[in-house]
Structure formats: structure tokens, C-alpha cells
Amino acid sequence: MIIIKTADEVARMRDSGRIVAEILDLLEERVVPGVTTLELDQIAERECRKRGAKPAFKGYGGFPFSICASPEDRIVHGFPNDRPLPEGEILSIDFGVVWKGFFGDSARTMAVGNISSEKHRLLKATKRSLELGIEKAWPGNRLFDISHAVQSHVEGLGFSVVKEFVGHGIGRGLHEDPQVPNFGPPGQGPLLCSGMVLAIEPMVNVGKGGVKVLDDGWTAVTLDGKPSAHFEHTVAITEDGPQILTAI
Ligand code: MG
Ligand code: MG
């Protein structure tokens, strides 16, 4: 069942989303060669508590950290560790908070120093596919209009969307209905209505796809070992159009 939020609830989610954006901004400033993802995790947790919010992922289904840190061929759900990041890698950070009972969820893939032109194109394509998906988040459209906008942009550039993981509704729960796939036929799926809040999150591979989960039970990597990127926003559907909640 898709839970419709009141305007007041959307306003509260805007506050939790702003906290997520502020902290991702701080993390992005710290992503330079030599930093470890464990350091980034500690910063995220500290900044979160400073603002009176709780990291959303820590303890969720047993996940042990505040951020998901997924470099290179890691798609999502990577564990932070003490390996210094080398120049030229890409790092996806997925981060969420719960604040006054409502969740915010957002992700970005960041460049560690200078990256190859292929990785640069991957990040640009993934970010743009999220923007194009968000542009479809209007009342009266169908859910897969979002999915199709993401997929057609990504595939038009020769990359592939990850099909094993999807976006989701979000509110008092981190993962609510509906699932928001990054692929699908336009004009189909549930009717979008004002008051729905969706976490739209394209995950995009340079290669052709296929996912395996590492022995830690969480970290999802590409089968072919090629890089993967991930951008996500929590978005409210309103009569005035899509409102990105996880922005400053
Ligand atoms: Mg997320
Ligand atoms: Mg999410």
C-alpha cells in the first residue's frame, strides 16, 4: 500500500532531507586521495548526532555502519573500511537519517581526485538519469514513466541500469511501497498522486550488468568488475510538481 503524506508530513520530511544533504555535502568535501571510508563513516555519524538525527542505516536489518561506501565496482551496500582511497577511483556514498520520525535517503557517486573520462561520463549519465526521472514525478503520470526516463537515458549512452536493486517509497519507514525500478515501460505502473514520496535511485554500470553479493552478506558488486555509479534523491510529488527533499 502506498502511504500518502500530508503537506505537514512532507514539510517534516523536507527537514530530514536537508540534514541528509548537508552531511553528504560535508562528506563530499572530504573525499580526496588518502581518506578512508571509515573516517567518512565517523564524520557522518558525528554530524548526524550533532543535529539531533539518527543515522538511518545503522542497525537496519543488521547493517553495521552509518554510510554505505561503495567504491569502483561496488554497486551498493558497501562497508566502510580503513583502506585509503587512491586517486582515480569513484566512491558511491549512500546515506540516510531519521529525524522526528521521518526518513530521508540520498546517494551520490564522487570522484577521488582526477578520474578517467569513462568514469566521468558514467557519473554524468547517472546523475542526469536521476534528474530526468525526477522530472516525470508529477501527479497524473505513471510510476514507470520515471523508470523509463532513467533507463532510456542510460541505455542511450551505452551504459546499463542495475535491475536487481530498486528505489522505493519512503516516509515513517525507510522502505515503503511502491518499488521504483530503474527500468520499465512508460505509461504503466501505479498512478502518481500528490503526497507520494519516493526515493528514486538509478544505479548504473559501465558494463552489462549482473550482480554478486560478497561474503559479508551485504556488498553488491558488478559481475564483470567494471565500475558502477549511484545517485539518489528523496522526492515528494506535489500539485506543483516534484520537490527534491534531500537538497539544501
Ligand atoms: Mg539510499
Ligand atoms: Mg534508497
Side-chain angles (χ1 to χ4, degrees):
M1 187 191 66
I2 300 176
I3 300 168
I4 301 297
K5 280 79 183 176
T6 65
D8 179 58
E9 288 171 331
V10 169
R12 286 159 69 178
M13 292 191 72
R14 179 78 185 87
D15 290 336
S16 67
R18 193 176 284 116
I19 293 171
V20 173
E22 282 173 8
I23 295 174
L24 274 173
D25 280 354
L26 288 174
L27 295 178
E28 190 153 15
E29 282 171 22
R30 301 293 294 268
V31 173
V32 291
V35 76
T36 73
T37 46
L38 213 45
E39 288 166 19
L40 299 172
D41 186 67
Q42 285 157 2
I43 293 167
E45 175 148 9
R46 193 176 62 229
E47 292 295 330
C48 205
R49 304 217 184 264
K50 220 195 255 181
R51 291 164 173 78
K54 259 178 47 183
F57 304 160
K58 197 165 191 171
Y60 187 86
F63 190 81
F65 298 97
S66 295
I67 63 170
C68 299
S70 309
E72 293 290 290
D73 63 338
R74 272 57 180 158
I75 302 169
V76 284
H77 305 158
F79 284 10
N81 62 31
D82 60 3
R83 181 183 70 102
L85 292 173
E87 171 119 20
E89 287 200 352
I90 55 171
L91 173 68
S92 300
I93 298 182
D94 194 345
F95 179 62
V97 307
V98 58
W99 188 82
K100 295 194 176 172
F102 285 93
F103 284 89
D105 187 8
S106 182
R108 298 177 198 172
T109 302
M110 307 167 188
V112 184
N114 288 310
I115 57 173
S116 69
S117 60
E118 182 180 66
K119 287 178 184 173
H120 183 74
R121 283 199 310 116
L122 173 69
L123 267 54
K124 199 173 152 195
T126 311
K127 192 175 182 190
R128 182 66 187 142
S129 74
L130 172 59
E131 292 166 358
L132 292 168
I134 291 170
E135 283 177 14
K136 297 290 181 189
W138 280 81
N141 280 355
R142 297 277 173 175
L143 183 70
F144 295 163
D145 290 331
I146 297 172
S147 312
H148 180 74
V150 169
Q151 182 181 23
S152 54
H153 182 71
V154 166
E155 293 182 350
L157 292 169
F159 297 127
S160 66
V161 292
V162 172
K163 297 187 171 168
E164 290 83 351
F165 299 99
V166 295
H168 48 93
I170 180 168
R172 290 185 188 274
L174 177 58
H175 295 117
E176 297 182 351
D177 287 339
Q179 293 199 340
V180 184
N182 294 304
F183 58 95
Q188 293 189 39
L191 185 66
L192 300 179
C193 309
S194 184
M196 287 182 181
V197 183
L198 305 175
I200 304 172
E201 49 179 315
M203 288 151 263
V204 176
N205 295 340
V206 163
K208 277 299 152 225
V211 169
K212 111 186 136 184
V213 175
L214 299 185
D215 287 342
D216 60 27
W218 282 96
T219 310
V221 307
T222 59
L223 262 188
D224 59 12
K226 291 185 179 168
S228 186
H230 181 203
F231 282 83
E232 175 181 27
H233 270 309
T234 296
V235 178
I237 298 171
T238 77
E239 288 305 331
D240 300 325
Q243 205 187 110
I244 299 175
L245 303 182
T246 40
I248 298 289

